[in-house]
């Protein structure tokens, strides 16, 4: 039996750069930063007072009553999923819903709900705790809501692998279609934890940028002056579809999801392996799975979060496994780090780079590290991209590599 | 003490806030679940909000008896 091919037929996102994919992509190509000051009162006491906040608030998109029962991470997931669903033209396709699955993960889950309801419990007692608390804070909530609203009946899944979540959720979607359990999978990630506790926690790890006076310049992957990541929020979702299913309904195909590689470091709970051994193996597995060679990968949307340690370890690993030729970009320089949504948003950037033949720039790379590969800076670069790689790594030692190829 | 009309109007405000029910649809004979589409979790919110608004206590084992808006109005009148 030949393995079914999987293609991408729909994209959806709500991000710090825009309320949909088109506006997000335009902002990426224009090299705009989505990082802004945190003007909320609670931010004044924090060492980190910047974040990449949603450009369009979910309250401007979803009904007020519905929002009462959605954590912010669920609201963003629903917005992105509905966009992707509409973009794929599946609503009117007559798809058998027993052949539709969902794989939408979150790195942290409904933390804002948990913390807000804990405040209510402390202030007003247990009877005032919302009856919607549990479905709002459960990590599978975003996936479950997407499944509910689209009517998916082939299984609803929630991957949690920290900052690799979005990519791993897409990888699971690939597995689901290949194994014959569904024809279409709504796959991606969501995150909404711009709240003092998660910020204080990441800041205590000394993982975040404290360039509070220059928000737009704070996320600067591979720049010698980088001092940590900038927290972002949002959701990104792709529609994965069996290629023959997409062809039969005449769907527009953005790219092919050719392969995935997943490994774990087995090294440290938060520190990346210094030589990137685990991620190099993930890329090698993805190459093998996709049936392409390192030489075929002409573009990489890197994980590159703007932390001192991680950024260059990734470059060394890429040099080892792919060679010196790939053209890199780090879109986190503009979007900040969307944690559990990052891998999905960067997959969308990779897919559009292939589809449109243009790589968005990395901003703020004023003083590049020595030994860097060819990075697109300042302006987008137009180029033919037959195959591209998207990397994602997460606390816990998770490594996920996705390879997308041009659909011919 | 509030009149039945005033309590009905107060419940209509709560139902609009919690469950998006059109206040024009709220009347004593309306069933919360079947007519107004208030699900069980939203009903919990309605009860807690009504306790606060009308200064009454509505025990959990009483809630199942409150099928219609009129049932709730009667309970609030009796309890206040």
């Amino acid at each position: 039996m030949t393995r079914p091919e999987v293609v991408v037929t729909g994209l959806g996102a709500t991000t710090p750069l825009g309320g949909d994919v088109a506006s997000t992509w335009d902002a990426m190509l224009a090299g705009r930063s989505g990082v802004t000051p945190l003007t909320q009162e609670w931010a004044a006491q924090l060492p980190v007072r910047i974040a990449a906040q949603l450009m369009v608030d979910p309250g401007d998109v979803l009904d007020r009553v519905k929002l009462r029962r959605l954590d912010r991470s669920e609201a963003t997931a629903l917005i992105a999923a509905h966009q992707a669903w509409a973009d794929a033209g599946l609503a009117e396709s007559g798809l058998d819903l027993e052949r539709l699955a969902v794989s939408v993960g979150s790195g942290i889950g409904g933390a804002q709900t948990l913390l807000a309801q804990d405040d209510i419990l402390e202030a007003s007692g247990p009877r005032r705790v919302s009856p919607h608390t549990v479905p709002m804070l459960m990590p599978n909530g975003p996936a479950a809501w997407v499944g509910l609203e689209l009517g998916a009946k082939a299984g609803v899944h929630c991957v949690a692998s920290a900052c690799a979540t979005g990519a791993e959720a897409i990888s699971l979607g690939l597995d689901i279609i290949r194994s014959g359990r569904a024809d279409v999978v709504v796959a991606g990630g969501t995150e909404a934890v711009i709240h003092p506790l998660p910020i204080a926690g990441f800041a205590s790890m000394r993982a975040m940028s404290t360039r509070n006076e220059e928000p737009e310049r704070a996320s600067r992957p591979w720049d010698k002056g980088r001092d940590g990541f900038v927290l972002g929020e949002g959701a990104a979702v792709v529609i994965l579809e069996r290629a023959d299913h997409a062809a039969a309904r005449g769907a527009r195909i953005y790219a092919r999801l050719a392969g995935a590689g997943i490994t774990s470091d087995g090294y440290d709970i938060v520190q990346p392996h210094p030589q990137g051994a685990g991620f190099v193996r993930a890329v090698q597995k993805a190459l093998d799975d996709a049936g392409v060679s390192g030489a075929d990968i002409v573009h990489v949307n890197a994980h590159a979060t703007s932390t001192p340690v991680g950024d260059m370890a990734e470059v060394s690993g890429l040099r080892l496994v792919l060679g010196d030729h790939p053209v890199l970009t780090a879109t986190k320089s503009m979007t900040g780090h969307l944690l559990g949504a990052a891998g999905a948003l960067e997959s969308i950037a990779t897919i559009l780079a292939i589809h449109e033949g243009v790589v968005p720039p990395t901003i703020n790379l004023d003083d590049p590290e020595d030994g860097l590969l060819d990075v697109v800076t300042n302006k987008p670069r137009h180029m033919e991209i037959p195959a591209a790689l998207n990397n994602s790594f997460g606390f816990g030692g998770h490594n996920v590599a996705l390879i997308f190829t041009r659909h011919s | 003490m509030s009149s039945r009309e005033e309590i009905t109007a107060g419940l209509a405000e709560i139902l609009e806030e919690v469950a998006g029910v059109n206040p024009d649809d709220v009347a004593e004979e309306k069933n919360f679940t079947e007519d107004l589409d208030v699900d069980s979790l939203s009903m919990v919110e309605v009860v807690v909000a009504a306790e606060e608004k009308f200064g009454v206590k509505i025990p959990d084992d009483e809630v199942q008896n409150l099928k219609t808006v009129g049932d709730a109005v009667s309970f609030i009148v009796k309890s206040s």
Side-chain angles (χ1 to χ4, degrees):
Chain A
M1 191 181 97
T2 56
R3 196 170 68 170
E5 279 200 15
V6 176
V7 293
V8 179
T9 57
L11 307 174
T14 183
T15 78
L17 297 178
D20 58 17
V21 169
S23 55
T24 298
W25 180 243
D26 285 349
M28 280 185 185
L29 294 181
R32 280 207 289 277
S33 169
V35 183
T36 54
L38 285 169
T39 53
Q40 296 89 333
E41 204 176 309
W42 51 254
Q45 56 158 342
L46 297 173
V48 173
R49 297 184 296 278
I50 50 173
Q53 302 171 86
L54 282 174
M55 177 70 87
V56 177
D57 193 83
D60 297 340
V61 182
L62 296 178
D63 171 67
R64 175 190 66 82
V65 172
K66 188 173 181 175
L67 275 171
R68 287 173 62 89
R69 47 179 66 199
L70 296 174
D71 182 76
R72 191 171 172 89
S73 65
E74 296 174 332
T76 49
L78 274 177
I79 291 166
H82 279 296
Q83 288 174 5
W85 187 251
D87 187 43
L90 281 162
E92 53 285 342
S93 70
L95 171 69
D96 175 2
L97 296 174
E98 294 192 7
R99 301 291 299 160
L100 173 66
V102 173
S103 171
V104 173
S106 168
I108 298 185
Q112 297 219 40
T113 294
L114 180 72
L115 293 161
Q117 293 300 320
D118 187 57
D119 290 345
I120 290 171
L121 175 65
E122 291 294 322
S124 309
R127 207 168 158 80
R128 295 297 163 82
V129 170
S130 168
H132 305 297
T133 300
V134 172
M136 286 169 75
L137 68 79
M138 60 192 195
N140 58 313
W145 270 110
V146 170
L148 183 66
E149 295 222 339
L150 299 180
K153 292 180 179 170
V156 166
H157 308 271
C158 161
V159 163
S161 47
C163 306
T165 296
E168 186 165 351
I170 290 172
S171 157
L172 176 61
L174 176 67
D175 291 344
I176 289 170
I177 295 175
R178 282 177 173 173
S179 69
R181 286 155 52 204
D183 296 326
V184 177
V185 181
V186 182
T190 185
E191 204 77 79
V193 291
I194 297 179
H195 178 287
L197 185 73
I199 292 174
F202 281 121
S204 286
M205 299 175 84
R206 308 295 188 267
M208 297 180 90
S209 171
T210 55
R211 198 180 286 259
N212 295 313
E213 308 314 314
E214 297 180 294
E216 297 188 349
R217 293 165 55 81
S219 186
R220 42 197 315 119
W222 301 309
D223 185 87
K224 282 181 180 165
R226 71 191 181 279
D227 68 332
F229 79 86
V230 175
L231 181 61
E233 63 174 351
V237 167
V238 301
I239 304 294
L240 303 177
E241 189 166 354
R242 223 182 59 224
D244 58 345
H245 189 275
R249 67 182 187 90
R252 181 249 342 264
I253 292 170
Y254 285 103
R256 193 170 148 243
L257 174 52
I262 298 182
T263 63
S264 44
D265 281 348
Y267 172 75
D268 187 88
I269 192 69
V270 291
Q271 297 298 331
H273 187 278
Q275 281 83 47
F279 116 75
V280 166
R281 284 190 298 115
V283 174
Q284 190 57 57
K285 279 172 184 278
L287 292 170
D288 295 345
D289 188 42
V292 298
S293 73
D296 296 328
I297 304 293
V298 298
H299 165 53
V300 180
N301 189 308
H303 184 64
T305 62
S306 183
T307 56
V309 179
D311 291 13
M312 288 311 290
E314 182 177 9
V315 170
S316 316
L318 286 173
R319 199 184 285 281
L320 192 69
V321 69
L322 298 180
D324 293 341
H325 63 280
V327 173
L328 270 53
T329 196
T331 42
K332 284 190 185 82
S333 61
M334 298 173 282
T335 64
H337 191 350
L338 273 65
L339 308 182
L345 179 56
E346 286 141 29
S347 285
I348 288 178
T350 310
I351 290 160
L352 286 174
I354 292 170
H355 190 248
E356 310 281 320
V358 58
V359 174
T362 302
I363 64 169
N364 298 325
L365 188 48
D366 302 329
D367 186 10
E369 285 278 6
D370 302 326
L372 197 51
L373 292 167
D374 180 5
V375 177
V376 178
T377 55
N378 301 321
K379 285 200 295 232
R381 189 181 303 177
H382 292 270
M383 56 186 281
E384 292 289 310
I385 307 175
L389 168 71
N390 173 222
N391 278 333
S392 292
F393 320 131
F395 282 169
H398 308 272
N399 306 293
V400 180
L402 299 176
I403 291 175
F404 296 93
T405 58
R406 197 164 51 197
H407 180 72
S408 45
Chain B
M1 197 177 85
S2 308
S3 69
R4 292 189 70 90
E5 289 72 24
E6 284 165 347
I7 295 170
T8 303
L11 287 172
E13 280 177 27
I14 292 170
L15 287 162
E16 184 186 24
E17 170 67 22
V18 168
V21 175
N22 183 343
D24 294 341
D25 293 342
V26 178
E28 290 215 18
E29 71 278 12
K30 293 291 176 69
N31 183 294
F32 288 112
T33 313
E34 287 158 25
D35 300 325
L36 303 179
D37 206 23
V38 179
D39 67 19
S40 62
L41 295 186
S42 292
M43 195 63 199
V44 175
E45 288 191 282
V46 170
V47 166
V48 172
E51 287 182 342
E52 192 167 332
K53 195 177 193 83
F54 301 109
V56 297
K57 180 93 185 87
I58 307 175
D60 284 349
D61 54 4
E62 189 63 43
V63 174
Q64 58 187 330
N65 300 325
L66 307 181
K67 305 282 191 215
T68 65
V69 174
D71 294 341
V73 173
S74 297
F75 185 86
I76 291 164
V77 167
K78 191 177 70 183
S79 308
S80 52

